[in-house]
């Protein structure tokens, strides 16, 4: 291997040297909870798999390499990663999240962290003046997503990092939608990046996992302590599956993006479709920002998520229930295309919050099937 392998190369080799014991090209799944010690306290760095496991360690090394980060800490789910990050702030602190945010993240701060004394504010993060007004002395953490879910709004990550830091807060980006192949928030000023590895990183809709990547040694040490102390760790087999998924992340993302671009263009031409939300559309409000920050692959790529508005909730529900190739289901980022109704499915926890998503909205996770089949499927569902 070269000193600084490129993304596609690191995805296949980082943290994955051939097994020294057998020469196996693909690392073993260390499906074990404990490790035999040669004498009391004399071991080879592994004692118990909540604390550390070689398969999980390999995954963390690979994901850190892809992010060009010093550290990666893996968790049992994306929510476990976010909840553990939330444990790094103190009683009485405030967290600021966007008003267009993953429903589970909203629920965590609204229904769980609140009772532990952690307060939160939501704000439209496309409005930097409003963000500035919301930030205060007590703000300890600003957690954002870009593109946002489900409206694919693009946030100015560089500007938000500056605002958060000026207020003395940590700036964390949930990069689940973009993946490190398209966007590197650490380079744009983020202190940490969080992933639901359930989505594109795993890429095959067959596991649930999360991770945090970061450069900050002190915060990494704290997260390692919390990983072991709170114990929201992924198992060895799931770690191995994500390692396997990462190997094809770049080629999958290129196809997700190409298919999504075609579908967004198709939807735009449909009389039954209102606004199409896709950062790759040139007249999409966030397009210029996306072009400047979703460019880690060497040229801008706009992701595999598309959402669109229909004329009524009935119509949105009918479309969701009429596709044959697009499967009706929550989640995203797998090779198979998914369709869903955010207001009643992924974002149902926002009901009554004042930041509900419109009931006329349909969200697509565009897979890597042949784009003509996907377009034909949407055509008949809209027809
Ligand atoms: C799915 C998702 C999460 C939560 O991840 P899980 O692995 O389901 O716990 C967090 N953020 C975003 C943007 C997601 O899409």
């Amino acid at each position: 291997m070269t000193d600084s392998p490129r993304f596609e190369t690191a995805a296949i080799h980082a943290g994955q040297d051939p097994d020294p014991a057998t020469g196996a090209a693909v690392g073993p799944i260390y499906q074990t909870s404990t490790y035999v010690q040669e004498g009391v306290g004399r071991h080879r760095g592994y004692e118990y798999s909540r604390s550390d496991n070689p398969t999980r360690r390999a995954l963390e090394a690979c994901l850190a390499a892809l992010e060009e980060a010093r550290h990666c800490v893996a968790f049992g789910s994306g929510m476990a990663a976010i909840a553990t990050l939330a444990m790094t702030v103190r009683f009485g602190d405030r967290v600021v999240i966007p008003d267009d945010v993953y429903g589970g993240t909203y629920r965590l701060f609204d229904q769980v962290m609140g009772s532990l004394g952690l307060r939160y504010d939501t704000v439209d993060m496309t409005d930097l003046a409003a963000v500035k007004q919301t930030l205060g002395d007590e703000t300890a953490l600003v957690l954002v997503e870009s593109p946002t879910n489900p409206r694919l709004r693009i946030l100015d990550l560089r500007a938000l990092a500056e605002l958060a830091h000026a207020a003395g807060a940590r700036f964390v980006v949930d990069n689940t939608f973009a993946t490190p192949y398209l966007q590197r928030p650490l380079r744009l000023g983020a202190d940490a990046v969080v992933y639901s590895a359930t989505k594109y990183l795993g890429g095959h809709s067959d596991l649930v996992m999360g991770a945090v990547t970061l450069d900050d040694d002190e915060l990494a040490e704290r997260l390692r302590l919390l990983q072991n102390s709170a114990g929201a760790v992924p198992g060895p087999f799931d770690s191995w599956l994500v390692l396997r998924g990462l190997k094809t992340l770049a080629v999958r993302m290129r196809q997700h993006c190409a298919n999504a671009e075609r579908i967004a263009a198709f939807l735009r031409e449909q009389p039954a479709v209102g606004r199409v939300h896709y950062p790759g559309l040139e007249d999409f409000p966030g397009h210029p920002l996306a072009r400047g920050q979703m460019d880690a692959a060497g040229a801008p790529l706009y992701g595999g998520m598309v959402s669109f508005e229909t004329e009524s909730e009935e119509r949105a529900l009918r479309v969701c229930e009429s596709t044959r190739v697009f499967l009706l289901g929550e989640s995203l980022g797998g090779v198979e295309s998914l369709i869903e109704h955010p207001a009643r499915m992924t974002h149902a926890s926002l009901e009554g919050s004042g930041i509900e998503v419109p009931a006329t909205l349909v969200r697509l996770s565009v897979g890597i099937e042949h784009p003509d089949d996907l377009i034909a499927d949407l055509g008949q569902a809209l027809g």
Side-chain angles (χ1 to χ4, degrees):
M1 269 177 63
T2 60
D3 283 340
S4 54
R6 291 169 179 80
F7 190 95
E8 289 83 345
T9 311
I12 291 167
H13 296 290
Q16 302 171 80
D17 290 336
D19 177 32
T22 62
V26 175
I29 305 165
Y30 286 93
Q31 194 73 37
T32 187
S33 61
T34 190
Y35 305 81
V36 176
Q37 307 202 357
E38 290 141 34
V40 175
R42 278 195 291 123
H43 54 77
R44 300 179 211 179
Y46 296 96
E47 299 157 88
Y48 185 63
S49 281
R50 170 161 36 72
S51 315
D52 210 348
N53 172 280
T55 314
R56 187 177 96 202
R57 187 46 67 127
L59 166 68
E60 290 172 337
C62 185
L63 194 46
L66 296 184
E67 193 85 49
E68 297 183 81
R70 289 170 55 77
H71 309 280
C72 170
V73 187
F75 293 94
S77 68
M79 287 322 304
I82 294 171
T84 305
L85 265 172
M87 287 182 207
T88 63
V89 306
R90 283 170 309 192
F91 181 87
D93 281 344
R94 296 193 85 91
V95 173
V96 178
I97 56 176
D99 63 356
D100 193 36
V101 68
Y102 177 66
T105 300
Y106 177 78
R107 181 177 54 207
L108 175 73
F109 289 106
D110 186 56
Q111 295 183 37
V112 182
M113 291 297 168
S115 58
L116 301 176
L118 191 70
R119 291 164 302 158
Y120 75 95
D121 302 289
T122 60
V123 60
D124 173 0
M125 295 228 183
T126 60
D127 182 349
L128 295 175
V131 174
K132 202 167 173 180
Q133 274 205 321
T134 307
L135 295 173
D137 290 344
E138 297 169 323
T139 309
L141 175 66
V142 177
L143 172 65
V144 311
E145 302 167 8
S146 184
T148 67
N149 181 5
R151 271 165 285 197
L152 291 318
R153 289 186 187 144
I154 303 297
L155 304 184
D156 186 340
L157 297 180
R158 289 181 186 89
L160 288 166
E162 272 180 34
L163 287 179
H165 291 154
R170 214 168 250 150
F171 183 61
V172 175
V173 176
D174 182 336
N175 204 35
T176 298
F177 274 31
T179 82
Y181 184 60
L182 306 189
Q183 179 169 275
R184 304 281 168 77
L186 295 177
R187 282 195 210 149
L188 305 171
D191 299 298
V193 181
V194 55
Y195 288 103
S196 169
T198 311
K199 316 293 170 52
Y200 291 104
L201 304 186
H204 296 74
S205 305
D206 50 10
L207 59 94
V208 172
M209 198 188 299
V212 179
T213 56
L214 69 168
D215 286 328
D216 182 330
D217 296 336
E218 213 172 292
L219 182 59
E221 201 176 310
R222 186 78 194 158
L223 288 172
R224 282 256 172 249
L225 175 73
L226 287 166
Q227 183 192 38
N228 188 31
S229 303
V233 294
F237 183 51
D238 284 355
S239 300
W240 186 87
L241 282 173
V242 173
L243 260 178
R244 179 185 167 122
L246 289 178
K247 291 180 208 241
T248 55
L249 179 61
V251 286
R252 282 188 286 109
M253 287 314 291
R254 289 198 284 266
Q255 196 60 47
H256 282 297
C257 294
N259 285 2
E261 255 176 66
R262 280 207 46 200
I263 283 171
F266 166 78
L267 288 171
R268 272 262 286 246
E269 303 304 316
Q270 304 311 302
V273 171
R275 265 221 303 208
V276 178
H277 304 273
Y278 186 65
L281 293 171
E282 284 193 2
D283 56 357
F284 186 74
H287 178 73
L289 263 177
R291 200 169 48 219
Q293 67 187 23
M294 297 179 76
D295 60 352
L301 285 171
Y302 301 100
M305 299 300 295
V306 178
S307 60
F308 61 94
E309 300 190 14
T310 57
E311 83 252 354
S312 65
E313 176 168 29
E314 294 71 57
R315 183 63 174 242
L317 296 173
R318 191 139 39 85
V319 172
C320 288
E321 291 172 351
S322 306
T323 55
R324 297 174 195 137
V325 183
F326 279 84
L327 305 174
L328 176 60
E330 301 200 357
S331 198
L332 60 112
V335 290
E336 63 286 289
S337 293
L338 295 173
I339 189 166
E340 68 120 359
H341 186 258
R344 293 204 186 195
M345 294 172 65
T346 47
H347 291 64
S349 65
L350 296 182
E351 200 180 334
S353 66
I355 55 168
E356 297 89 349
V357 298
T360 51
L361 192 74
V362 173
R363 190 187 78 176
L364 305 176
S365 170
V366 179
I368 62 170
E369 299 94 338
H370 197 289
D372 292 346
D373 291 332
L374 297 177
I375 285 170
D377 190 35
L378 288 172
Q380 64 80 24
L382 286 161

